[in-house]
């Protein structure tokens, strides 16, 4: 493995399968390179998927309930190509090779959510048959589904709905200034712990974080213990554990105590990876 000299650690985001221990980790860095990984949360084994020279909008992405299919929105700015520079794809997780492919041509909307293990909602009000480049019998777009609520058309329109589908409660919205607003979510975990997620939508955000970034707080309703983690870029629960990403690394810790986290265990350090061409096995 070739170690990269980096000013900033890799950026990580994770999508979890709701009915399977499978998860997909998106690793971004440098800014125009991203790689996918398959994480088995039962064994904590991690295997590499594929790299893309471009950008995957991880907050507009989703994983099927059984963890077999990945839905993602990507851009490589090749505007004269068949995909017109951006596209939504459904692939076999953790690979990026499309089994269904929708050309986009811009970054308005894009991505979507799984409605079942093989049906999905496409976040594109203007999609038409001319945009559909690859069709598969493995999955099917639900064209009649209309999502509830008003959350915007880009990252927030998919990400916030995914959070609420997966057990997060939307608490409130806050405005920190003209260009920085946030939506606050919470999730009840094991042993009286509550995880709070502050989802920022900020223009000119802290260096390296992008326009959309999260902060987290963990508190216990019984003991009153409270911890603020502004370096946790992603966090969720996994059974009796809390799992999170920070500075290019994936961690987990037990929630058996009501006063403190259990021993912090490093699942994987993703900082040492460098782009390589990897072909999907299908």
């Amino acid at each position: 493995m070739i170690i990269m000299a980096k000013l900033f650690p890799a950026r990580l985001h994770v999508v979890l399968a709701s009915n399977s221990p499978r998860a997909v980790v998106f690793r971004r860095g440098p800014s125009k390179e991203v790689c996918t990984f398959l994480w088995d949360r039962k064994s904590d084994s991690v295997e590499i998927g594929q790299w893309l020279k471009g950008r995957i909008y991880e907050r507009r992405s989703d994983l099927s309930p059984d963890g077999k299919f990945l839905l993602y929105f990507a851009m490589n700015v090749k505007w004269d190509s068949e995909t017109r520079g951006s596209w939504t794809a459904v692939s076999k997780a953790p690979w990026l090779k499309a089994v269904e492919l929708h050309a986009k041509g811009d970054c308005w909307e894009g991505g979507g959510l799984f409605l079942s293990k093989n049906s999905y909602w496409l976040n594109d009000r203007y999609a038409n048959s001319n945009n559909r480049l690859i069709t598969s019998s493995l999955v099917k777009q639900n064209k009649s589904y209309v999502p509830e609520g008003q959350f915007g058309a880009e990252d927030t329109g998919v990400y916030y709905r995914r959070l609420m589908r997966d057990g997060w409660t939307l608490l409130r919205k806050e405005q920190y200034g003209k260009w920085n607003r946030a939506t606050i979510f919470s999730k009840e975990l094991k042993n009286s712990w509550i995880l709070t997620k502050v989802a920022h939508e900020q223009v000119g955000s802290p260096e390296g974080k992008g326009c959309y970034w999260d902060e987290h707080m963990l508190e216990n309703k019984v003991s009153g213990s409270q911890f603020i983690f502004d370096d946790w870029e992603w966090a969720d629960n996994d059974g009796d554990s809390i799992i999170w990403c920070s500075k290019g690394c994936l961690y987990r810790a037990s929630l058996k105590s009501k006063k403190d986290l259990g021993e912090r265990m490093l699942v994987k350090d993703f900082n040492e990876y460098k782009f390589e061409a990897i072909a999907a096995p299908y």
Side-chain angles (χ1 to χ4, degrees):
M1 187 66 64
I2 301 175
I3 299 178
M4 301 178 66
K6 295 180 64 65
L7 294 176
F8 302 104
R11 302 289 298 166
L12 302 179
H13 187 83
V14 183
V15 287
L16 306 176
S18 58
N19 295 329
S20 164
R22 291 163 65 97
V24 167
V25 181
F26 294 98
R27 179 217 181 273
R28 181 161 57 96
S31 61
K32 296 181 181 179
E33 295 179 358
V34 61
C35 188
T36 53
F37 294 81
L38 182 65
W39 173 27
D40 184 327
R41 305 191 322 267
K42 187 174 182 179
S43 64
D44 271 343
S45 61
V46 177
E47 68 175 75
I48 193 169
Q50 281 185 290
W51 285 87
L52 172 74
K53 281 190 175 293
R55 171 72 194 277
I56 290 180
Y57 292 80
E58 62 280 346
R59 285 170 172 78
R60 300 185 215 182
S61 303
D62 197 16
L63 192 60
S64 62
D66 59 7
K68 292 183 178 180
F69 296 104
L70 174 67
L71 190 159
Y72 67 92
F73 178 61
M75 176 183 68
N76 64 3
V77 302
K78 295 180 180 180
W79 307 117
D80 294 328
S81 67
E82 188 178 24
T83 61
R84 303 203 299 274
S86 64
W87 65 94
T88 296
V90 179
S91 62
K92 296 181 181 181
W95 314 100
L96 297 174
K97 181 182 177 181
V99 297
E100 287 222 340
L101 181 63
H102 302 264
K104 190 70 176 72
D106 55 45
C107 289
W108 297 105
E109 304 182 344
L113 294 171
F114 279 99
L115 306 177
S116 69
K117 66 179 182 180
N118 55 13
S119 70
Y120 65 94
W121 162 65
L122 180 66
N123 179 40
D124 188 350
R125 289 170 291 176
Y126 308 104
N128 58 63
S129 58
N130 294 329
N131 296 339
R132 197 183 191 97
L133 303 180
I134 301 176
T135 301
S136 171
S137 61
L138 299 175
V139 293
K140 184 177 181 180
Q141 177 191 352
N142 186 328
K143 297 181 181 179
S144 63
Y145 176 76
V146 178
E148 296 182 358
Q150 300 294 322
F151 298 102
E154 279 68 63
D155 285 30
T156 55
V158 176
Y159 184 43
Y160 291 177
R161 290 185 174 105
R162 170 156 60 88
L163 288 175
M164 291 187 290
R165 182 200 65 188
D166 293 344
W168 292 84
T169 299
L170 195 161
L171 298 179
R172 64 188 182 276
K173 296 180 179 290
E174 293 188 357
Q175 191 78 31
Y176 299 108
K178 183 177 180 180
W179 304 113
N180 184 7
R181 59 182 179 269
T183 304
I184 317 300
F185 296 87
S186 72
K187 192 174 193 180
E188 294 197 9
L189 313 184
K190 299 289 186 179
N191 223 8
S192 301
W193 288 99
I194 297 177
L195 179 61
T196 299
K197 182 187 297 285
V198 181
H200 289 270
E201 308 154 34
Q202 181 177 353
V203 177
S205 59
E207 195 165 12
K209 289 192 173 183
C211 292
Y212 298 98
W213 53 285
D214 297 344
E215 294 178 289
H216 297 85
M217 180 177 71
L218 189 64
E219 56 185 332
N220 192 280
K221 294 187 292 185
V222 175
S223 69
S225 294
Q226 185 180 92
F227 307 95
I228 297 175
F229 302 105
D230 57 7
D231 63 329
W232 285 17
E233 55 190 319
W234 173 89
D236 212 315
N237 74 297
D238 184 34
D240 294 331
S241 298
I242 185 166
I243 46 181
W244 72 93
C245 297
S246 175
K247 298 179 180 178
C249 296
L250 175 62
Y251 298 90
R252 76 160 63 242
S254 168
L255 293 172
K256 292 181 179 179
S257 168
K258 288 184 174 66
K259 293 184 178 180
D260 199 356
L261 297 182
E263 181 180 357
R264 281 72 163 171
M265 186 186 78
L266 174 66
V267 176
K268 183 71 175 180
D269 184 339
F270 292 88
N271 285 302
E272 298 181 354
Y273 287 86
K274 183 178 180 179
F275 183 91
E276 57 181 315
I278 302 174
Y282 61 90

